[in-house]
Amino acid sequence: MARKRAPAHSFRARFDAMVAALRKHPKIEVYEVVVRPPASAADLAAAEAAIGMPLPPEIRAFYEAHDGVFLEWGLKGEEYERTAAFDGPDDNHPPGCINLLPVRRAMSPSWEEDSHVNEIQPDHQELLFGAPLDPQPEVRAVCVDNYARYHHGDLVLGPTPVMVVSTDYGADMDSSDFVSFPVYLDLTLALFGVDRYEHGVGIGWSRKPKRVEAWTKQFELDALLAKLDDDGYSDDEDDEESEEQDDE
């Protein structure tokens, strides 16, 4: 039986439980956790003015509970370029990051123009919403979760806004499945903040993107760490010793 999706207002309890699990793991160092207080009415009004539409109810509920959530963690003994809370990650960033931006920063009217290689086209809107939008919204996409150097969780605005994970600074609608904001939160927590594209909704043009209605898979933390080893997020001591022996 599929697990029922938890509402956005329960995010804090689930987030705290996830952070506690990370802190207990002997191979993990949690660098920073920031949960901002609720967004003010002025913040919410300014965000809505910036995008020219009301915030979707589930996103407004999230920000009414906490105006931005940041977590960053890495593997003990590794060196990374740490991310300042609510800034954009640099190269060699830690593997675990949740960077749900404060509402005024997230709802930027210039995100698509400044940061997307590919503009959102009518065929993208047809895929996401069933038809090209007419009239076009004042703002077509914003970044909600700026969690990695080349990947970020973006909200594409329309009749029922959806989250995609854009890659290579572009709104690559052809390489990511799309989800509602609550499902995106479920995915993020299930992955302990590890890359949502590589391990979640990224399909890499292997098929046509589809809407994922619910996220029910819970990842095992040790399995994720093993995958990070495979992806080169940590040095393998055995490999280093082998290379030293070869040099001799």
Side-chain angles (χ1 to χ4, degrees), residues 151 165 167-168 172-177 197-198 200-209:
H151 293 154
V165 178
T167 183
D168 291 334
D172 292 321
M173 301 295 108
D174 297 329
S175 69
S176 173
D177 285 338
Y197 183 86
E198 294 292 343
V201 294
I203 60 172
W205 303 279
S206 62
R207 57 169 170 77
K208 186 176 181 179

Side-chain angles (χ1 to χ4, degrees), residues 46-56 106-109 137-139 141-142 155 157:
E48 292 181 332
I51 61 174
M53 62 180 289
L55 289 170
M107 302 302 152
S108 165
E138 294 181 27
V139 176
V142 297
L155 183 72
L157 298 169

Side-chain angles (χ1 to χ4, degrees), residues 7 18-19 40-41 59 69 76 90 130 138 145 180 192-194 197 203 205 207 211-212 226-228 231-233:
M18 183 200 65
V19 172
S40 68
I59 294 180
V69 175
K76 288 183 178 179
D90 206 338
E138 294 181 27
D145 186 14
S180 69
F192 296 89
V194 171
Y197 183 86
I203 60 172
W205 303 279
R207 57 169 170 77
R211 184 182 183 99
V212 177
K227 185 65 169 65
L228 293 178
D231 292 344
Y233 271 97

Side-chain angles (χ1 to χ4, degrees), residues 12-240:
R12 180 63 189 270
R14 295 182 292 150
F15 175 79
D16 287 347
M18 183 200 65
V19 172
L22 290 168
R23 291 190 190 280
K24 288 179 181 178
H25 199 284
K27 294 183 178 181
I28 288 174
E29 182 177 358
V30 175
Y31 301 127
E32 188 173 7
V33 178
V34 180
V35 179
R36 286 169 52 91
S40 68
D43 290 331
L44 295 168
E48 292 181 332
I51 61 174
M53 62 180 289
L55 289 170
E58 63 272 18
I59 294 180
R60 186 180 183 92
F62 176 86
Y63 282 114
E64 286 175 339
H66 18 57
D67 188 21
V69 175
F70 180 81
L71 161 72
E72 191 167 56
W73 63 265
L75 303 175
K76 288 183 178 179
E78 300 298 324
E79 294 185 1
Y80 305 103
E81 294 293 331
R82 298 270 301 278
T83 307
F86 309 117
D87 283 349
D90 206 338
D91 291 328
N92 193 36
H93 55 77
C97 184
I98 296 173
N99 194 16
L100 293 159
L101 302 176
V103 69
R104 282 187 186 243
R105 186 176 301 181
M107 302 302 152
S108 165
S110 61
W111 171 257
E112 184 182 6
E113 178 181 353
D114 292 346
S115 302
H116 280 198
V117 171
N118 302 319
E119 293 182 354
I120 297 174
Q121 303 294 332
D123 61 321
H124 298 148
Q125 294 174 336
E126 184 172 7
L127 170 67
L128 300 177
F129 307 122
L133 302 184
D134 185 19
Q136 288 291 313
E138 294 181 27
V139 176
R140 291 179 292 190
V142 297
C143 180
V144 174
D145 186 14
N146 196 8
Y147 70 84
R149 181 72 169 95
Y150 296 107
H151 293 154
H152 33 78
D154 293 343
L155 183 72
V156 183
L157 298 169
T160 54
V162 293
M163 293 289 297
V164 300
V165 178
S166 294
T167 183
D168 291 334
Y169 300 107
D172 292 321
M173 301 295 108
D174 297 329
S175 69
S176 173
D177 285 338
F178 49 101
V179 299
S180 69
F181 181 69
V183 171
Y184 182 81
L185 295 181
D186 289 346
L187 164 62
T188 299
L189 294 174
L191 276 168
F192 296 89
V194 171
D195 194 337
R196 277 66 100 191
Y197 183 86
E198 294 292 343
H199 304 280
V201 294
I203 60 172
W205 303 279
S206 62
R207 57 169 170 77
K208 186 176 181 179
K210 65 182 180 182
R211 184 182 183 99
V212 177
E213 296 290 350
W215 193 267
T216 59
K217 181 178 181 181
Q218 178 63 50
F219 294 85
E220 295 294 332
L221 186 51
D222 284 330
L224 280 174
L225 296 182
K227 185 65 169 65
L228 293 178
D229 282 342
D230 292 340
D231 292 344
Y233 271 97
S234 67
D235 295 327
D236 191 307
E237 294 179 358
D238 292 337
D239 288 346
E240 291 178 352

